[in-house]
Amino acid sequence: MAQVALEDLIAGAQAGRLVSFPTDTVPALATLPEKAGLIFAAKQRSQDKPLILMGASAEDLWPYVKGSEDEYELWQQVVNQYWPGALTLVLPASQRLPKEMNPTDPTTIGIRVPDNAIARSILAETGPLATTSANFSGQPPLETMAEITMQFPDALTLATTGLLEEISGGGVPSTVAKWTGANWQILRQGRITLN
């Protein structure tokens, strides 16, 4: 059982280990962006399915994207309205983004700030992490830390009491909206509907 206390999970993530913690949607499997290959391997995930870069705040994530001043202004309006929350924005990636995050198309990156205090407290300490749902590719997302510990024995999961066990967001993934250069294209409809 690799269930650990919060500070040990943060230390593990900082050291490049695979970790799992609750978010406002489904529990995340996460690691440092440059170690993203660990997630693809653990999940048996196809390289053409990019990961999401999750951060504690929009300010932490902006260095990983690039756009015009007008685009940043527009993106900031969307972020101000929906973050923290279950909305992933797919934006043009900056040179700072490790190719491991999106091996087949390193020109874009999905970014998100979760509406979950535990997740944001972890991300505030680690900096942005490569994330995805905690499950084997093609399987439904796992919903408890106990299930995640069973399926991913190498990952550090957050030791939780019964009370904290069900604090994920009910299994509905985030809405994914891709910036096309002119408007938003919805790639996956989740809990949030973009106006």
Side-chain angles (χ1 to χ4, degrees):
M1 286 300 211
Q3 293 200 354
V4 297
L6 187 62
E7 55 273 17
D8 295 329
L9 184 123
I10 289 167
Q14 290 168 331
R17 295 271 315 262
L18 205 54
V19 299
S20 183
F21 52 83
T23 75
D24 52 342
T25 55
V26 295
L29 198 59
T31 191
L32 295 173
E34 60 274 16
K35 297 280 192 179
L38 291 173
I39 293 178
F40 284 103
K43 281 187 62 131
Q44 301 157 17
R45 184 180 176 94
S46 164
Q47 296 274 313
D48 62 1
K49 291 185 170 178
L51 304 175
I52 292 171
L53 191 67
M54 203 176 271
S57 69
E59 291 66 37
D60 291 345
L61 295 169
W62 290 136
Y64 293 91
V65 301
K66 66 172 185 204
S68 68
E69 262 182 65
D70 290 348
E71 285 177 319
Y72 274 112
E73 206 169 296
L74 199 137
W75 299 340
Q76 189 67 54
Q77 287 170 8
V78 171
V79 160
N80 290 347
Q81 186 174 353
Y82 296 104
W83 281 1
L87 175 66
T88 298
L89 299 180
V90 179
L91 302 174
S94 74
Q95 292 299 309
R96 182 162 175 188
L97 186 78
K99 187 179 188 305
E100 292 84 351
M101 285 284 301
N102 190 350
T104 55
D105 180 15
T107 64
T108 65
I109 182 60
I111 59 171
R112 184 163 102 79
V113 174
D115 189 11
N116 177 291
I118 293 173
R120 284 201 314 278
S121 70
I122 292 167
L123 294 160
E125 295 291 327
T126 61
L129 294 176
T131 65
T132 184
S133 57
N135 56 297
F136 288 142
S137 214
Q139 302 287 315
L142 301 174
E143 292 183 24
T144 67
M145 291 293 136
E147 289 175 325
I148 294 163
T149 302
M150 294 275 292
Q151 198 162 98
F152 298 101
D154 292 343
L156 297 176
T157 56
L158 195 56
T160 54
T161 63
L163 179 68
L164 284 174
E165 191 66 21
E166 303 305 328
I167 47 179
S168 68
V172 179
S174 66
T175 296
V176 179
K178 182 176 185 176
W179 179 247
T180 64
N183 54 26
W184 297 105
Q185 174 191 2
I186 303 300
L187 302 181
R188 178 177 73 198
Q189 185 61 58
R191 201 178 318 145
I192 287 177
T193 303
L194 267 189
N195 296 334

